[in-house]
Amino acid sequence: MKYPVEEIKSFMESWAKNEYQLSWDNSGSQVEFKENTDSVVLAMDVTDKVIDKALEMDAKLIISHHPMFFSGSKNIIEGTYLGDNIIKLIKNNISVFSYHTSMDVADDGVNDTLFEKLDLKNKSILIYEEEKPMGLIGEFERELTLTDLDKLLKEKLQVCKIKFYGREDRNIKKVAILGGSGSDFISQAKEVGVDAYITSDIKYHDGQRAYEDDLILIDVGHFYSERIILPKIKKKLQENFKDLDFYIQESSSFELDI
């Protein structure tokens, strides 16, 4: 059975509402056609490989976390990477909807799903930005060594390599978490008294600062800190659009494994 793309959009925006996004973001419709579809591609980023997968499945809808249009593109030029991707979408009437910060802060969104995935307890908000909750605080059932935590994160998030910053010989119980780039909130994590802050995109000097402040910073990788929302989107869509087929992007299109 094929469903109108606009019905799927209405459902998604009843969950990750447009008003949830931060002022600098571009969540919502990126490309939209009045088409019907029986399949959906779910991805972190709209890359050429993701578009090719949609073509292979004859899917008329791609749902991504990161917006396709984010840096103020002003033209569509054949022969450029972005231009060719846009042209391919338009020629094949493929819609793209992106749910970025709107999905980060939504109930059962990225951060709630990360919290759930790590089996944390005693949930509270790390900080509010533009009156929207950014990041969560929680506790593990028991204290974990850094080795235990490394093993748990690799298992739960299906990531091969994790970076730890700070001082050794610490047990971890209370943590702050934030999917995606969380270095802007290191001070807040320190202030609320957590043992560790789990996020991504930690820079060298962030790590140095963590050492000085005696805070463990844990970088699980941007893709893997947010990828956990894709199966949740699939689950919710399946509950409401029972005959849809799905493809989920399992790995980053542009990170090389060498």
Side-chain angles (χ1 to χ4, degrees):
M1 177 179 176
K2 292 190 175 185
Y3 295 93
V5 163
E6 60 187 351
E7 284 189 15
I8 300 174
K9 174 188 174 184
S10 294
F11 170 77
M12 288 299 301
E13 293 187 355
S14 70
W15 174 21
K17 296 180 171 62
N18 284 330
E19 57 264 31
Y20 288 174
Q21 68 179 304
L22 297 178
S23 59
W24 47 264
D25 195 16
N26 186 38
S27 292
S29 294
Q30 310 290 297
V31 179
E32 185 171 350
F33 292 97
K34 295 187 181 303
E35 285 279 349
N36 298 326
T37 192
D38 58 7
S39 52
V40 179
V41 173
L42 303 176
M44 288 296 298
D45 304 277
V46 184
T47 65
D48 55 336
K49 292 180 181 179
V50 168
I51 296 170
D52 287 344
K53 189 65 184 181
L55 288 171
E56 177 188 323
M57 296 175 64
D58 194 28
K60 295 300 182 183
L61 176 60
I62 296 170
I63 295 178
S64 72
H65 183 54
H66 295 133
M68 186 176 188
F69 301 111
F70 199 56
S71 57
S73 299
K74 293 181 172 61
N75 49 45
I76 302 172
I77 301 175
E78 186 176 14
T80 65
Y81 178 77
L82 182 60
D84 285 348
N85 282 347
I86 296 169
I87 290 167
K88 193 181 293 186
L89 289 167
I90 292 172
K91 281 185 174 179
N92 292 279
N93 284 32
I94 299 173
S95 297
V96 176
F97 303 145
S98 303
Y99 302 100
H100 188 213
T101 55
S102 61
M103 184 61 78
D104 288 339
V105 306
D107 289 340
D108 225 12
V110 171
N111 289 314
D112 280 346
T113 303
L114 185 58
F115 192 96
E116 169 190 306
K117 195 79 174 174
L118 298 182
D119 296 321
L120 295 169
K121 313 293 181 186
N122 303 324
K123 183 188 295 184
S124 60
I125 304 300
L126 173 60
I127 188 174
Y128 287 87
E129 183 177 7
E130 298 180 13
E131 300 183 352
K132 299 172 179 69
M134 298 298 293
L136 298 170
I137 302 165
E139 295 182 351
F140 292 108
E141 195 70 44
R142 61 180 179 85
E143 287 191 349
L144 300 174
T145 65
L146 294 184
T147 301
D148 290 337
L149 184 53
D150 180 61
K151 182 178 178 181
L152 181 144
L153 291 171
K154 286 176 177 175
E155 175 188 344
K156 296 290 188 179
L157 303 181
Q158 298 180 346
V159 57
C160 295
K161 187 175 181 180
I162 295 171
K163 292 183 179 180
F164 287 76
Y165 301 87
R167 303 183 192 180
E168 297 178 358
D169 301 324
R170 289 210 37 188
N171 287 344
I172 305 298
K173 185 171 184 182
K174 185 178 181 181
V175 296
I177 61 168
L178 190 144
S181 299
S183 59
D184 287 347
F185 306 114
I186 294 173
S187 294
Q188 285 76 16
K190 174 63 180 177
E191 287 172 9
V192 297
V194 297
D195 302 315
Y197 179 29
I198 302 168
T199 186
S200 72
D201 295 347
I202 300 300
K203 298 178 182 178
Y204 177 87
H205 290 293
D206 296 328
Q208 180 183 23
R209 178 175 158 202
Y211 182 86
E212 293 171 357
D213 288 345
D214 195 19
L215 172 69
I216 299 293
L217 278 182
I218 305 172
D219 189 332
V220 297
H222 196 121
F223 180 88
Y224 296 97
S225 72
E226 296 180 321
R227 179 199 166 277
I228 40 105
I229 195 59
L230 300 182
K232 179 67 67 72
I233 294 173
K234 176 183 175 181
K235 179 177 181 291
K236 286 183 176 289
L237 286 177
Q238 281 180 322
E239 291 170 353
N240 289 271
F241 305 92
K242 299 187 184 301
D243 298 316
L244 280 178
D245 290 327
F246 294 88
Y247 169 80
I248 294 182
Q249 180 191 20
E250 296 291 346
S251 59
S252 171
S253 297
F254 43 82
E255 291 182 359
L256 299 179
D257 185 14
I258 57 174

